[in-house]
Amino acid sequence: MALPVAFFGVFFAYPVAAIVARGLRVDGVWRLGRIPDVVADPGIRHVLWFTLWQALASTALTLLVALPAAYVFARLDFPGKQVLRAVVTVPFVLPTVVVGTAFLALVGRGGPLDQLWGVRLDTTVWAILLAHVFFNYAVIVRTVGGLWAQLDPRQEEAARMLGASPFTAWRRVTLPALAPAVAAAALIVFLFTFTSFGVVQILGGPTFSTLEVEIYRQTSEIFDLSTAAVLTLVQFAAVGAILAVHAWTVRRRESALRLVDASVTARRPRGAGQRALLGGVLVTVAVLLVLPLAVLVQRSLGAPGLGYYRALTRDDGGTFLVAPITAIGTSLQYALAATGIAVLVGGLAAAALARRDAGRLVRGFDALLMLPLGVSAVTVGFGFLIALDEPPLDLRSSWILVPLAQALVGVPFVVRTMLPVLRAVDTRLREAAAVLGASPWRVWREVDLPLVRRALLVAAGFAFAVSLGEFGATVFIARPDRPTLPVAVARLIGRPGDLNYGQAMALSTILMVVCAVALLVLERLRTDRTGEF
C-alpha cells in the first residue's frame, strides 16, 4: 500500500487541498464564511440545480433506454452478438470531447437534423441528455446485463408455472434480484453525469453549466479561486455520498445472490415479442450509438480530397504552436506513460485489497480510489500548477505532469478490473509454493501472474483508453507546443471557421478509431472472470 498511498497523497490529495486552501485562506486566515455566501448566490444555485436535475434526468433516461438491451444481451443469443457488444461499449471509452463533437455534428449546424428539418439542438438540454445516454448506455448494459445473464432462469419459470404472468414473474422474481446491480449502475451513471464537463462544455454553450463547467469558468475565465474552492468542496461532498451509497449497493450485490454459468442462460429469440425486442434494441443502437459516430466521420470527410485531414499537417501559427497532427503522437506517448503508472499503482493497490487479512483501513482505501473519477478534474489540473511548483516537486515544465494526471483516472479502472480476479486466486496455491521454498516474488511470478495476466492486459487497455481521452485536468497542464488530442479538438471547436470545425471533426475521428481499436483488442482478451466495469 505504500506506493499507492504516496501516489494519491502527493498527486491527488495535495493538489486538491492546495487549490482549496488558496481559495479559502487569505493572509493566513480561513474565510469559511465564503461558503454560505457562494451557495446562496442565485447564479450558483441555478448551476447546482441544473447539475442535479440533468444528472437525474440523464440517469433515468439511460435506464429507460438501456435496460431492454441488458435483457437482450443477457437472455438472447443471436449472430453478431460479440461484435454488437463491442459496438455498444465503444462510446464508453470515447473521450467526452469526442462524444460532444459527435453530437455537435449530428444535431448542430449543418447536421442531418439541420439539413432535413431545419432543427438544431446543439444548445438545448436535449442534446446534453442524449449525449449522456450515448456515453453511459454501456454502463447499464454491461453491469446489469452481466448479472442478469448469471441469474438462474428456472426461478422465473417456476413462477410462470404457478400462474404468474410474464410481467408479474419478472417484477416479483427477477427485478428484486437485479435491484442491487441496477442501483449500482444507476449510481455510476449519476456520478459521471453529475461531474460532466466535456459534453456540457461543447453542447451547452453559454446557456447551460454544470458544477464542473462552472468550476472551470471560475478558475480559468473569472479567476475567482474562492468561488471555485467552495464549488469543489460541494462537489467533493456530493461525490463522497454517491460513492458511499455505491459501496453499500455493491456489497449487497456480492452477498445476496446465487449465480449460474452465464453461457447456459442465453437462447435464440422465441416468439414475436422477443424478436420485436431484439429488433428494437438493434434500431436503438443504430440510431443512438452508431449514427452520431457515422455523422462525425462523414463531417470529417466534408472537404474534397481529405482536405480537413491534410490541413492537420500544417502549422497555422494561431491555434497551435505546432501542426495539429503532432497531437496524435503526443497523446499516444502520454497515454502509454500514464498506463504504465496506472498499472503499477493500481496493481499494487489491488494486490493489497485482495488479501483476506486486509484491515479495515486498507479496505477503506478502496472507496478513496474512486474519488478521482468524481472529484473535479479541473481542480486537480489547476492544483497541479499551484502545488507542484517548488522543489523537490517542481514539475510544471516536466512532460511527466500530464501522464500523472491521466494516471489518476486510470488507476480506478485498473483496480476494478484486477481486484475480482486476484480475490478469486486460491490462497492454497500460494501457500503450497511458499512451503516448497519459493520467495514471495517467485510466488507472485509463477502463481499469481499466469492467472491474472489476461486481467492485467485488460486493465492496461482500459487505462490506456481513458488516459488517451482525459480532458478536464489536461486542458490546464498540456503545453502549447505539446497538445493532446482532446485539448486540440476543444481548441479547434472554440475557433470560428469551417476549416477549424472540420479539423476538429477529423481529429475526433482519429481519436475515436484509436479508442475503438483498443476496445476491440480488449474484447478479444476479456473473459468472464475479469468482471464488468
Side-chain angles (χ1 to χ4, degrees):
M1 290 296 296
L3 183 60
V5 169
F7 177 79
F8 274 84
V10 173
F11 299 113
F12 178 69
Y14 177 48
V16 172
I19 190 67
V20 171
R22 180 68 65 91
L24 294 180
R25 191 177 182 183
V26 179
D27 297 328
V29 179
W30 288 94
R31 299 173 57 194
L32 299 181
R34 182 65 176 152
I35 296 177
D37 293 340
V38 171
V39 176
D41 182 86
I44 297 299
R45 294 180 69 176
H46 176 74
V47 169
L48 293 174
W49 166 246
F50 177 74
T51 302
L52 178 62
W53 177 86
Q54 64 83 26
L56 289 172
S58 297
T59 303
L61 191 59
T62 304
L63 286 171
L64 180 66
V65 174
L67 280 177
Y71 171 82
V72 165
F73 280 100
R75 293 299 196 213
L76 301 184
D77 187 23
F78 51 91
K81 182 177 179 179
Q82 295 303 320
V83 175
L84 187 64
R85 185 192 297 270
V87 170
V88 165
T89 314
V90 165
F92 180 77
V93 300
L94 287 180
T96 55
V97 171
V98 173
V99 175
T101 307
F103 272 82
L104 186 65
L106 178 64
V107 304
R109 170 173 53 89
L113 295 182
D114 187 20
Q115 292 180 349
L116 295 176
W117 297 292
V119 176
R120 290 181 57 182
L121 301 176
D122 51 325
T123 57
T124 67
V125 70
W126 280 108
I128 296 173
L129 296 181
L130 290 175
H132 283 161
V133 175
F134 170 91
F135 186 75
N136 294 292
Y137 188 87
V139 176
I140 305 297
V141 171
R142 299 293 291 263
T143 304
V144 179
L147 178 62
W148 206 335
Q150 293 180 281
L151 292 181
D152 193 342
R154 291 174 296 183
Q155 298 178 10
E156 191 171 327
E157 292 170 359
R160 294 286 306 279
M161 292 180 64
L162 293 173
S165 66
F167 178 74
T168 300
W170 178 82
R171 180 173 59 86
R172 299 292 296 273
V173 178
T174 304
L175 183 58
L178 287 175
V182 173
L187 283 168
I188 289 297
V189 173
F190 182 85
L191 175 66
F192 287 149
T193 53
F194 186 83
T195 58
S196 181
F197 177 59
V199 168
V200 180
Q201 179 79 350
I202 292 175
L203 295 176
T207 307
F208 301 105
S209 178
T210 58
L211 194 56
E212 183 83 356
V213 174
E214 186 64 20
I215 292 173
Y216 174 78
R217 191 174 73 89
Q218 294 288 341
T219 302
S220 63
E221 297 178 10
I222 303 178
F223 303 107
D224 187 350
L225 293 186
S226 63
T227 299
V230 172
L231 296 180
T232 297
L233 291 177
V234 172
Q235 184 169 336
F236 190 86
V239 168
I242 295 169
L243 291 178
V245 176
H246 178 263
W248 178 71
T249 59
V250 168
R251 285 196 298 269
R252 285 188 59 198
R253 175 184 172 186
E254 290 177 346
S255 60
L257 300 174
R258 184 180 63 183
L259 306 178
V260 298
D261 186 0
S263 62
V264 301
T265 61
R267 301 175 181 175
R268 299 301 292 266
R270 294 178 296 181
Q274 289 189 348
R275 293 190 181 94
L277 182 61
L278 175 59
V281 168
L282 293 176
V283 171
T284 300
V285 170
V287 174
L288 181 65
L289 305 185
V290 177
L291 182 59
L293 301 180
V295 172
L296 175 66
V297 175
Q298 183 268 329
R299 297 292 291 276
S300 73
L301 299 173
L306 300 177
Y308 292 143
Y309 288 90
R310 287 189 289 108
L312 296 176
T313 62
R314 298 194 295 267
D315 176 16
D316 62 1
T319 307
F320 306 102
L321 299 180
V322 293
I325 196 70
T326 61
I328 300 174
T330 300
S331 289
L332 292 175
Q333 294 170 12
Y334 284 157
L336 288 172
T339 300
I341 297 171
V343 168
L344 175 62
V345 175
L348 290 174
L353 293 168
R355 291 180 61 91
R356 288 178 171 81
D357 58 348
R360 182 175 300 178
L361 184 62
V362 173
R363 291 194 299 271
F365 187 67
D366 187 16
L368 297 179
L369 291 172
M370 294 288 289
L371 283 177
L373 294 181
V375 172
S376 171
V378 172
T379 300
V380 174
F382 198 60
F384 268 36
L385 297 180
I386 291 177
L388 306 180
D389 62 344
E390 296 180 356
L393 288 175
D394 186 2
L395 302 177
R396 287 177 301 174
S397 60
S398 174
W399 67 272
I400 197 63
L401 200 62
V402 173
L404 287 171
Q406 294 173 340
L408 283 172
V409 183
V411 167
F413 287 91
V414 174
V415 175
R416 294 272 72 80
T417 303
M418 294 189 62
L419 190 55
V421 181
L422 286 170
R423 284 175 173 167
V425 176
D426 193 340
T427 56
R428 292 174 296 181
L429 296 175
R430 301 188 183 106
E431 294 167 355
V435 168
L436 294 174
S439 64
W441 165 253
R442 188 175 180 184
V443 170
W444 181 86
R445 180 166 52 88
E446 298 190 9
V447 176
D448 289 69
L449 183 58
L451 295 174
V452 305
R453 180 172 58 243
R454 185 166 293 182
L456 182 65
L457 292 174
V458 172
F462 270 120
F464 177 80
V466 298
S467 299
L468 194 66
E470 204 288 321
F471 175 62
T474 307
V475 70
F476 277 96
I477 57 181
R479 292 164 47 180
D481 59 337
R482 290 181 63 84
T484 63
L485 278 170
V487 172
V489 170
R491 290 180 181 173
L492 286 168
I493 290 179
R495 295 190 67 191
D498 289 337
L499 181 60
N500 289 315
Y501 186 81
Q503 289 182 88
M505 297 295 161
L507 277 180
S508 296
T509 301
I510 294 172
L511 189 51
M512 177 190 70
V513 170
V514 173
C515 290
V517 170
L519 179 66
L520 291 174
V521 173
L522 292 184
E523 281 296 317
R524 295 290 297 269
L525 295 174
R526 188 184 65 86
T527 66
D528 288 336
R529 300 192 68 181
T530 60
E532 302 287 350
F533 56 79

